[in-house]
């Protein structure tokens, strides 16, 4: 049985992950961590990690980047693996996570959906072939989302940059009157209603446009991917892991065990 602490337990994703874990046979939530949320009959939520009586095997986090410092410190002290789904991480946060990965398994993804991981891989492959096409990314989320662009859009853009080394991201063209640079990757954010998440990549060439999209209608898909990430990370040695590693282990199970 994999013992899990859910960080950001009071948030929408924290609740979705907790609910799905409660239906599984191999994972158990031993407590929640959230500075602002209260517990329920199904889950006791603590306002401090060290107040949780049991030591988890894995901590999964959907909270705020400001929590990364304490999470990494606690994880290393308790020898607990980390699964980070929080977006908006700075270089400082990423450095903390890489340092923690020297001691414990650390899994980081801006999106826990396997479909998004596959879309990112397909985007990279298309970039290798469509060398003359302009690339634009459009992301749509609910009106409560704080960060823009989404971490997922940046993850997709990063897959392009693995091929186009000189590419740079452009978020706003309204203030600049000039032609589009060939190395631009335009990233556009739309916010409204209760959209869970939609990402579209456009490859725009001469006389043709190729569009690939991924649309989420429920957080259940993200929660399902989060459980896969928990199972995967719990079985790993110390190191820094991503959705690419999880996808590869799905096709080659021996690499993920």
């Amino acid at each position: 049985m994999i013992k899990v602490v859910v960080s950001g337990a009071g948030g929408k994703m924290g609740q979705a992950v907790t609910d799905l874990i409660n239906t599984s046979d191999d994972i158990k939530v031993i407590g929640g961590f959230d500075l602002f949320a209260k517990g329920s009959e199904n889950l006791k939520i603590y306002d401090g990690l060290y107040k949780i009586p049991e030591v988890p095997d894995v901590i999964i986090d959907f909270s705020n980047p400001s929590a990364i410092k304490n999470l990494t410190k606690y994880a290393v002290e308790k020898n607990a693996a980390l699964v980070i789904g929080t977006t908006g991480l700075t270089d400082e946060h990423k450095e903390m996570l890489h340092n923690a990965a020297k001691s414990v398994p650390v899994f980081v993804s801006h999106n826990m959906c396997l479909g998004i991981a596959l879309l990112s891989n397909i985007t990279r492959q298309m970039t290798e072939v469509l060398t003359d096409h302009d690339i634009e990314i459009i992301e749509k989320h609910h009106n409560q989302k704080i960060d823009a662009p989404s971490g997922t859009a940046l993850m997709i853009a990063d897959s392009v940059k693995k091929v186009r080394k000189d590419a740079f991201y452009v978020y706003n063209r309204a203030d600049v009157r000039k032609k589009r640079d060939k190395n631009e990757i335009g990233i556009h954010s739309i916010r409204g209603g209760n959209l869970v998440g939609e990402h579209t990549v456009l490859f725009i060439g001469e006389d043709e446009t190729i569009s690939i999209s991924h649309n989420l209608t429920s957080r259940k898909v993200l929660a399902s991917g989060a459980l896969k990430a928990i199972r995967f990370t719990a079985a790993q040695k110390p190191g820094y892991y991503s959705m690419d590693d999880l996808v590869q282990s799905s096709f080659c199970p021996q690499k993920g065990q």
Side-chain angles (χ1 to χ4, degrees):
M1 184 70 71
I2 303 172
K3 296 186 293 184
V4 174
V5 164
V6 178
S7 174
K12 293 179 180 178
M13 269 308 301
Q15 293 175 30
V17 169
T18 299
D19 290 343
L20 192 57
I21 288 177
N22 288 338
T23 67
S24 69
D25 297 326
D26 60 332
I27 307 176
K28 176 184 178 182
V29 179
I30 61 172
F33 167 61
D34 200 303
L35 294 177
F36 307 105
K38 296 181 179 179
S40 64
E41 293 181 1
N42 297 325
L43 178 65
K44 185 168 184 179
I45 298 179
Y46 300 84
D47 59 4
L49 286 167
Y50 291 91
K51 295 181 180 180
I52 302 172
E54 295 184 71
V55 176
D57 300 306
V58 179
I59 305 166
I60 185 162
D61 177 56
F62 289 100
S63 60
N64 186 284
S66 62
I68 296 297
K69 183 176 181 180
N70 286 334
L71 286 172
T72 51
K73 178 176 181 291
Y74 178 87
V76 171
E77 287 183 8
K78 301 295 184 180
N79 195 33
L82 273 175
V83 175
I84 304 296
T86 297
T87 60
L89 302 180
T90 65
D91 289 340
E92 183 180 5
H93 298 131
K94 294 174 184 177
E95 183 179 359
M96 293 176 189
L97 291 167
H98 277 286
N99 286 335
K102 298 174 184 177
S103 303
V104 298
V106 175
F107 182 100
V108 180
S109 179
H110 297 304
N111 191 302
M112 293 292 175
C113 178
L114 288 177
I116 284 291
L118 292 171
L119 183 143
S120 294
N121 287 336
I122 292 169
T123 297
R124 176 181 54 77
Q125 294 173 38
M126 292 179 67
T127 303
E128 292 173 347
V129 176
L130 303 174
T131 55
D132 293 329
H133 285 56
D134 297 323
I135 300 175
E136 299 280 306
I137 299 170
I138 303 170
E139 57 97 350
K140 305 175 184 178
H141 284 86
H142 54 87
N143 57 21
Q144 300 301 303
K145 186 171 179 61
I146 298 174
D147 56 316
S150 68
T152 302
L154 292 173
M155 183 172 74
I156 296 169
D158 288 345
S159 71
V160 173
K161 200 166 183 178
K162 288 179 181 178
V163 180
R164 298 188 182 182
K165 306 295 185 181
D166 295 329
F168 59 93
Y169 307 154
V170 174
Y171 310 112
N172 180 17
R173 295 192 177 100
D175 298 331
V176 180
R177 289 179 56 83
K178 67 176 184 178
K179 294 180 180 180
R180 185 189 197 282
D181 191 290
K182 193 64 183 176
N183 291 322
E184 286 183 18
I185 302 175
I187 305 178
H188 314 277
S189 300
I190 295 173
R191 298 289 177 266
N194 62 348
L195 291 171
V196 177
E198 182 177 334
H199 294 83
T200 299
V201 185
L202 299 171
F203 289 84
I204 309 168
E206 294 296 327
D207 304 319
E208 72 167 357
T209 297
I210 303 169
S211 173
I212 54 174
S213 295
H214 182 276
N215 184 23
L216 278 177
T217 58
S218 170
R219 289 181 178 83
K220 291 179 181 178
V221 177
L222 297 173
S224 177
L227 264 64
K228 290 182 175 67
I230 289 171
R231 295 186 180 102
F232 170 83
T233 310
Q236 304 309 310
K237 297 178 180 179
Y240 193 92
Y241 302 93
S242 69
M243 285 299 292
D244 284 342
D245 299 302
L246 178 53
V247 170
Q248 290 177 19
S249 74
S250 299
F251 292 104
C252 304
Q254 69 274 15
K255 291 183 180 181
Q257 301 298 327

